[in-house]
Amino acid sequence: MACMKLISKTRSQELFYHFAIDQDIDIHNFSCSDLINFLLSAHHSGYSLNIIKLYKTATFKFHCSPGQFLKGVDILALLKKFANDAPPIPLGRSAIDLSPTFHHLIAFHPQAAHNLHAVNEVAAFLLVQLSTDTHPAPSVRLLGIDLAIARGITVADVGILGNWSSDAAMDTNY
């Protein structure tokens, strides 16, 4: 396998190239400790674990014999340490307290207090009723009609373009 002669334009390889120049490292024959130092530098700069793994893989393109790193215990241990030290990923939603919902369901159907299956049936029934009776889900077709009319297309043209069977059908559904 020939060594990579030209510097790639990927960001990770560019960073490694500059790291190697600053540390006086031969990019075609760097050691495992050089790679670990580069990965540590990326970690201290705030890069995520996935990006650091990409950096590790990108540096192999430079090395004359990258196979020596594939089962590097030290590198794997470092990546495992980064994974263990990483903060938990936020779910984006705060915790939801379902106890008021369960209290309401049990008040609605007292037998549900001792039967999770009954609670599930009542909850499903109420959700279906709520979604179809009071808040129908908007369809893409109806949203498209709103957008078309807002942009100045006449109702008659919307009926034609929307392939409605008749003006009455459009009036009924829209």
Side-chain angles (χ1 to χ4, degrees), residues 89-153:
I89 298 171
L91 297 176
R93 295 183 180 176
S94 57
I96 299 172
D97 182 15
L98 294 177
S99 57
T101 304
F102 288 124
H103 291 302
H104 180 73
L105 290 174
I106 291 170
F108 183 73
H109 189 3
Q111 295 87 351
H114 303 291
N115 186 349
L116 188 58
H117 182 70
V119 170
N120 199 17
E121 285 179 351
V122 171
F125 171 77
L126 291 175
L127 284 173
V128 168
Q129 288 298 104
L130 180 65
S131 66
T132 58
D133 289 346
T134 59
H135 302 289
S139 71
V140 174
R141 188 176 197 182
L142 296 177
L143 293 173
I145 290 171
D146 283 340
L147 183 61
I149 291 172
R151 293 205 173 159
I153 299 176

Side-chain angles (χ1 to χ4, degrees), residues 34-105:
D34 294 332
L35 179 58
I36 287 174
N37 288 335
F38 172 66
L39 298 177
L40 279 168
S41 171
H43 179 70
H44 291 306
S45 296
Y47 289 101
S48 70
L49 177 61
N50 288 339
I51 298 297
I52 292 171
K53 287 179 180 179
L54 289 174
Y55 284 7
K56 176 192 71 130
T57 304
T59 61
F60 294 163
K61 299 289 184 187
F62 290 118
H63 206 280
C64 289
S65 55
Q68 68 181 352
F69 298 110
L70 295 179
K71 294 188 179 181
V73 177
D74 294 336
I75 295 171
L76 294 175
L78 179 68
L79 294 175
K80 186 174 182 179
K81 181 184 179 334
F82 290 164
N84 290 339
D85 292 347
I89 298 171
L91 297 176
R93 295 183 180 176
S94 57
I96 299 172
D97 182 15
L98 294 177
S99 57
T101 304
F102 288 124
H103 291 302
H104 180 73
L105 290 174

